[in-house]
Amino acid sequence: MTSISPLNSWNSPAARASATATAPHRADAPAATARSATSSIVALSPESAKGEGAAAVQPSPLVWESGTRDKVSEAMTKSFSSYAFGGRFSGVGAAMLGQAKLGNYNFSQAMRQPPPSTTANVYAASAIAPGDLHGFGEDNVSLSITTSSGVEVKLSLDSQGDGLAVRMTASGELSDAETRALGELAEGFQDAIDGMGQSTPKIKLDGLMQFDQKVLASVKLHAEVKVRGEPESVQTLDFQADGTQRSVSFSGVAGTLDLKVDASALNTLGSKERQAKALGSYMQQFDQAASRGHGDAGLVAMLKDSFTALHSNTSAPQAADAPPGTGKWRLAPEDKAILSGLADFTASVSQAVNFSNPMRGSEKDSFNYEVSQKTAQAGASQDDRSVRQQQQSKLSASFHESLVAGVPLRLTTNTESQNYTYHQIEDSASSDAQVGYKDGKLVRASLQQEASQSTRVMKYFLGKLESDKSTPGNYSVLRDLLPVLGPYQTGAKETTPEARIEQRKQALAALSDDVLLRSYPGQTISLWQADVLPAEEVSS
């Protein structure tokens, strides 16, 4: 007796779990799908193995586009045997850029696994060539790199159920420095591929962001991965970066993410230490928003990872008297003190809406978060200039919770299941800092910060509304910064010039911390705190 079962290339986590349960010694056994039936696993009975009763089915050898064997072909052979979700490109991207480092940057390779057959030379009979996979993969990744000299290098990877295809081309000859710079991106390219290949995708762009900006002008990545589940879906990632502009866009089952960073004004950037402190502050705020609004952990993690990556590989002019470079004016320490130190950006996360209560279709589980920074430099001259930086954030979320802590909520059309609280969150925050000069003298400096939180909680028991309460919260501060940023007043004779300089440094450093956006001033909101209403509730 002979049995044949389909072989899928990137099976879903659910399918892998099922396979693990039935065959504990084969954790990576692939799941069967109706769509991918071009490759097969063959199980022969003892009788068929002896050739009794029927012709023995023979496994078909791999068919290659090119007879050339190199590190890329070896990586393709190895990764093809990995049936885990996303494993088909494992090690292949790094191998391709590794070949570029050796000077081999124009090549094409593809492989296919014909279905088992009693007839030899299957592909010769069916006229299906491995090269037909190029550009037609269900899962595909492309990388485009433009060098400072104008040469464009393109890489593409395609995967189907029965094969792999890769291609690399260059529009011209590359210098030794350019091939070396390409090779240095091998690990970062592979990290980005592996991140998208996971069942819970991750955005790993740190390695690609470290490209040599003196040799390479831009880097672009596109990845499209089919999620084989019920129902099937597609998750995509687009990334682009050059010396001044960076962007990330993601779309998947969990929701969408968009992030843009404008690093063109180098004179507004802070030191590495200053940038690290600002990044840490924003990471905390992202966590606070996710906790308060019950945002999807995977989406928020992608926001944090991409936000950190896109703000890397930037540096401000080091010398105080250096020309401003990319930026309108040469900024004084007093100007830098009111700036976050980061490049301007816009970021948004939108979680896929879920209607989890069949009894009340108007109630939805959602999470939408936006955050941005914008810096403006104006004036007729260096001595008559103004600098202004605005930071903003907005959170809009809604979710259901069980009335009993630790007990999962399962809402149905049965009134006995309708025991829950429904939360609606609306938060916003802003920070507006500015300085102005007249005839070379600082004439105005101010900082205005505002934050508001609004929580509405509706409690239902056995389908009946028992309470509907709203809790507002507001915070506002307006500071005149002239006493801090302006020149020191005379009369403090006991203070030495060195002491004054040190005091001023400390004052500017403290102000640099104060100007950072604070969505939840003086609060650290945890998951449990976000759901507890304060005593001063206001009934709607």
Side-chain angles (χ1 to χ4, degrees), residues 192-487:
I193 294 174
D194 294 342
M196 280 295 291
Q198 298 182 25
S199 56
T200 299
K202 295 183 178 180
I203 297 180
K204 297 182 177 180
L205 299 173
D206 301 72
L208 283 180
M209 269 304 306
Q210 303 311 310
F211 64 97
D212 189 340
Q213 298 183 42
K214 295 180 180 178
V215 181
L216 305 180
S218 68
V219 177
K220 298 179 183 178
L221 172 73
H222 173 78
E224 186 173 317
V225 176
K226 185 176 181 180
V227 181
R228 291 154 177 85
E230 292 295 338
E232 291 185 343
S233 61
V234 175
Q235 57 193 28
T236 61
L237 172 68
D238 285 284
F239 160 71
Q240 180 175 349
D242 55 34
T244 58
Q245 306 290 329
R246 297 96 185 270
S247 65
V248 170
S249 178
F250 171 84
S251 176
V253 177
T256 60
L257 162 70
D258 285 290
L259 172 61
K260 295 181 176 62
V261 174
D262 179 7
S264 60
L266 295 181
N267 66 333
T268 65
L269 299 179
S271 63
K272 293 296 183 183
E273 295 75 15
R274 176 65 183 148
Q275 292 184 42
K277 182 174 290 188
L279 284 172
S281 176
Y282 272 107
M283 295 299 105
Q284 182 184 33
Q285 292 184 74
F286 296 163
D287 287 336
Q288 289 174 331
S291 175
R292 181 160 160 79
H294 287 207
D296 180 83
L299 270 179
V300 176
M302 286 192 284
L303 170 63
K304 295 171 67 176
D305 290 342
S306 57
F307 191 87
T308 301
L310 264 61
H311 280 286
S312 66
N313 202 10
T314 58
S315 59
Q318 297 300 309
D321 57 350
T326 51
K328 191 163 186 177
W329 310 117
R330 184 175 62 251
L331 301 184
E334 292 79 8
D335 305 337
K336 291 289 188 75
I338 70 161
L339 305 179
S340 71
L342 298 178
D344 287 349
F345 63 88
T346 60
S348 65
V349 170
S350 183
Q351 187 172 310
V353 177
N354 180 33
F355 295 92
S356 60
N357 190 355
M359 186 171 284
R360 291 183 175 83
S362 61
E363 295 179 354
K364 62 182 180 180
D365 299 288
S366 64
F367 179 85
N368 294 280
Y369 181 64
E370 300 175 0
V371 61
S372 65
Q373 174 187 294
K374 181 180 181 181
T375 307
Q377 303 178 61
S381 65
Q382 177 79 31
D383 290 339
D384 294 277
R385 70 183 187 277
S386 65
V387 182
R388 182 181 186 183
Q389 187 171 87
Q390 296 171 292
Q391 304 172 70
Q392 296 180 331
S393 69
K394 182 179 180 181
L395 169 65
S396 179
S398 55
F399 54 90
H400 297 79
E401 281 204 322
S402 172
L403 292 181
V404 182
V407 177
L409 185 63
R410 296 184 177 89
L411 297 174
T412 68
T413 55
N414 191 331
T415 56
E416 293 182 355
S417 71
Q418 298 289 311
N419 306 303
Y420 66 94
T421 53
Y422 180 59
H423 302 245
Q424 293 177 308
I425 307 294
E426 294 291 339
D427 295 348
S428 64
S430 65
S431 178
D432 188 348
Q434 52 185 310
V435 295
Y437 292 82
K438 181 69 174 178
D439 297 328
K441 296 181 180 180
L442 183 65
V443 294
R444 68 178 186 277
S446 65
L447 171 64
Q448 182 173 4
Q449 292 180 319
E450 297 179 345
S452 67
Q453 297 90 42
S454 174
T455 305
R456 182 185 180 188
V457 180
M458 289 170 280
K459 180 180 178 181
Y460 289 87
F461 184 71
L462 295 179
K464 295 182 179 181
L465 179 65
E466 286 198 339
S467 63
D468 185 349
K469 299 178 180 180
S470 295
T471 306
N474 295 282
Y475 163 86
S476 180
V477 62
L478 176 61
R479 292 178 57 187
D480 181 5
L481 301 181
L482 274 177
V484 179
L485 299 178

Side-chain angles (χ1 to χ4, degrees), residues 46-68:
E47 292 78 9
S48 62
K50 296 177 182 178
E52 298 177 3
V57 178
Q58 301 294 329
S60 302
L62 295 175
V63 180
W64 293 86
E65 175 186 15
S66 170
T68 303

Side-chain angles (χ1 to χ4, degrees), residues 34-49:
R35 190 179 180 90
S36 297
T38 52
S39 295
S40 303
I41 296 175
V42 181
L44 300 178
S45 65
E47 292 78 9
S48 62

